[in-house]
Amino acid sequence: MKHILLALLPLLALLCGCGDDSLSGAVDVARVNIQIERPSDLDSDADVTRGNLSFRNVSSGLTSQWLEGDDISVMPGLYDIDYSAEVRLPSGTVTQLKAARRSVVLPASSTPVNIVMQAYNNRIADDLVIAEVFFSGTLQSSGNQYYGDDYVKLYNNTDHVLYADGITLWESKFTTVDKYNYTPDILPEAVTVQALYTVPGSGTDHPVLPGEYFLLADTGIDHRTINPNSFDLSEADFEWYDVSTKPNNLDIDSPTVPNLDKWYCYTLSFFVLHNRGFRAYGISRIPVDRDTYLRDYLYTYNYDIITEAGVFPMETSAFRMPNEWVVDAVCCSVASRYAWNVVDASIDTGWTHCGTIDKDKTRYFHSVRRKVLYINDNGTPVLKDTNDSSADFNPDCIASEIELQATAADANGTPCTTLTFDGITPVTPDAEAAYRQANHR
């Protein structure tokens, strides 16, 4: 036995040194050659540091860190790969380059797998950001799901007035839990979308002050009249409304909340956010009119559904949203089902969630809320925005409207007693009045 243990010691030492998921000395490893392509608009005189690479094994959760140019070898498997490098511009400004690839299969091979990653400048858009997405909904006292009180809350994270006129809210066509080989692949250039609703206006009709929220609701009514466990959305800024062709599934047109301009939606009844959060949501500024968009931006794609019964070729159409039009986006999923990000890494490198498993009963009454970076001297928050929803959002938060209205936080009707900026950071008594005013509450 002693001789056997002595013989095993070198192998045990190797295995114990692999907590970072790297196995450079093993035989059956995936060898990877990463080539970083820098943005075409990056100043040629910019000083770029040697970049950092992170390989996260999707199955095990283990992560290994490498430097750009290293001889990289990891265990074979499915990986999320991230790249970042610090950039000092000739002006003295310091920024970052980032790149990401999701769900990359790395097989065991003595020949390196070549992967090209397109880096992008991590710049903050001077526009509205998504502060919160409430997609999970509430429950009735019976425990049944209630529909219609979902919403998206935008925020002016700048120090000057912005205008919501022309902002388009969209939902992705593809889900983050099912990945197919869609052809042609347009992910580097556009998001595939299936619902688009636009804020009307001439350009200056809907000002959003610095530190102020802008609420887009599913149905702008006081939902407590139907479900006492819900809350009041009758003072939302806008609602999305659909003229249903299904007599048994009619939408409600609020008398107090104006309608968004409906550009397109896949459903013949009425649109609700995916209540398990398996899609991406975003806002865009589209520089063409509705008719031009619907005519020129249709995307027809092919993919195969593979089952035990065989391979079934599919052809489907949706609309494409060019990445340069996207102002902000957030990918949602759950850990037990996450497969990939349905937007390019230049838009969002991460994802957030309500619940940890599919159909998680704990997700109700909760939303995803953008984190507070710091509080200004005037008491208004500056929210975090790094184009990485994993880092930028607090998951599983009590929805802000539940907090503001002190309505039910569960199916039993237990009143909410907290008030926070982001689901975590408390609103102090001296900041409460300003926070409520920013939310029109």
Side-chain angles (χ1 to χ4, degrees):
M1 178 64 73
K2 178 178 179 181
H3 294 295
I4 294 174
L5 289 173
L6 288 173
L8 286 174
L9 280 176
L11 177 60
L12 290 172
L14 174 63
L15 293 175
C16 290
C18 297
D20 64 353
D21 208 33
S22 61
L23 279 176
S24 58
V27 176
D28 295 328
V29 297
R31 302 186 185 279
V32 191
N33 176 41
I34 299 290
Q35 178 183 345
I36 304 296
E37 291 190 353
R38 296 180 180 176
S40 59
D41 61 348
L42 183 66
D43 194 309
S44 59
D45 294 328
D47 181 19
V48 182
T49 64
R50 187 182 181 191
N52 295 296
L53 286 156
S54 171
F55 285 69
R56 178 182 177 275
N57 188 302
V58 174
S59 301
S60 69
L62 295 176
T63 300
S64 59
Q65 305 290 338
W66 305 85
L67 287 174
E68 185 178 359
D70 281 350
D71 292 328
I72 300 171
S73 56
V74 296
M75 287 290 292
L78 187 67
Y79 283 85
D80 288 342
I81 307 172
D82 289 276
Y83 165 86
S84 64
E86 188 175 274
V87 179
R88 185 174 293 277
L89 302 176
S91 63
T93 301
V94 176
T95 182
Q96 279 191 324
L97 290 185
K98 287 191 173 185
R101 291 285 296 274
R102 295 291 177 256
S103 301
V104 180
V105 177
L106 298 178
S109 175
S110 59
T111 303
V113 176
N114 292 314
I115 298 176
V116 177
M117 298 179 70
Q118 179 65 54
Y120 59 90
N121 291 300
N122 186 36
R123 295 171 178 167
I124 306 301
D126 183 21
D127 211 326
L128 298 169
V129 297
I130 298 172
E132 180 181 15
V133 184
F134 178 61
F135 55 77
S136 62
T138 56
L139 295 175
Q140 301 179 59
S141 58
S142 62
N144 292 331
Q145 165 89 43
Y146 176 74
Y147 294 92
D149 54 6
D150 43 324
Y151 64 82
V152 176
K153 193 172 283 191
L154 310 182
Y155 185 69
N156 184 347
N157 211 32
T158 75
D159 60 358
H160 54 275
V161 177
L162 297 171
Y163 295 91
D165 307 49
I167 280 284
T168 295
L169 172 69
W170 51 260
E171 179 185 72
S172 69
K173 169 70 173 180
F174 301 152
T175 69
T176 57
V177 300
D178 292 305
K179 187 178 189 294
Y180 298 97
N181 291 322
Y182 299 107
T183 57
D185 177 16
I186 64 168
L187 189 67
E189 294 85 35
V191 186
T192 305
V193 298
Q194 65 173 6
L196 302 98
Y197 296 84
T198 300
V199 178
S202 62
T204 57
D205 293 338
H206 307 292
V208 185
L209 302 180
E212 189 173 66
Y213 297 84
F214 195 80
L215 179 58
L216 305 178
D218 181 342
T219 306
I221 63 172
D222 187 347
H223 292 272
R224 294 172 297 181
T225 61
I226 305 172
N227 175 24
N229 286 340
S230 188
F231 43 83
D232 184 5
L233 289 176
S234 65
E235 297 181 11
D237 292 288
F238 280 91
E239 67 172 3
W240 57 85
Y241 170 72
D242 302 288
V243 178
S244 174
T245 61
K246 303 292 184 180
N248 294 328
N249 291 285
L250 299 178
D251 204 355
I252 298 172
D253 191 1
S254 168
T256 61
V257 178
N259 295 331
L260 294 166
D261 287 342
K262 180 178 179 179
W263 281 35
Y264 174 79
C265 191
Y266 67 94
T267 180
L268 297 177
S269 56
F270 54 84
F271 173 62
V272 296
L273 307 184
H274 191 290
N275 71 24
R276 288 175 284 163
F278 287 174
R279 300 187 188 273
Y281 294 96
I283 53 174
S284 295
R285 291 195 182 272
I286 302 177
V288 298
D289 61 45
R290 177 181 179 275
D291 291 342
T292 302
Y293 179 81
L294 297 180
R295 183 190 66 225
D296 295 345
Y297 291 86
L298 188 67
Y299 165 47
T300 300
Y301 55 93
N302 297 277
Y303 64 103
D304 291 335
I305 294 179
I306 303 173
T307 70
E308 293 181 355
V311 178
F312 300 91
M314 306 293 291
E315 182 178 273
T316 311
S317 293
F319 287 93
R320 57 187 174 91
M321 179 67 64
N323 292 339
E324 61 265 28
W325 296 357
V326 176
V327 173
D328 193 25
V330 52
C331 282
C332 302
S333 193
V334 292
S336 65
R337 292 284 308 277
Y338 173 76
W340 68 312
N341 265 23
V342 296
V343 303
D344 187 65
S346 62
I347 296 172
D348 191 0
T349 60
W351 56 276
T352 187
H353 61 88
C354 284
T356 56
I357 60 173
D358 191 9
K359 301 178 183 179
D360 196 328
K361 295 294 186 182
T362 67
R363 76 184 188 278
Y364 297 108
F365 301 91
H366 291 77
S367 68
V368 297
R369 298 172 63 178
R370 190 176 291 274
K371 295 178 181 179
V372 168
L373 189 61
Y374 61 89
I375 305 296
N376 276 321
D377 292 339
N378 61 7
T380 61
V382 172
L383 304 184
K384 187 176 181 181
D385 183 15
T386 66
N387 297 333
D388 179 354
S389 291
S390 299
D392 292 347
F393 280 81
N394 289 319
D396 291 306
C397 300
I398 293 293
S400 65
E401 286 300 311
I402 292 175
E403 290 188 340
L404 285 159
Q405 299 181 43
T407 52
D410 55 40
N412 296 323
T414 307
C416 180
T417 58
T418 61
L419 186 63
T420 65
F421 285 114
D422 60 2
I424 301 293
T425 309
V427 176
T428 58
D430 59 341
E432 181 174 345
Y435 178 63
R436 289 187 178 278
Q437 183 178 357
N439 279 277
H440 310 288
R441 295 294 180 191

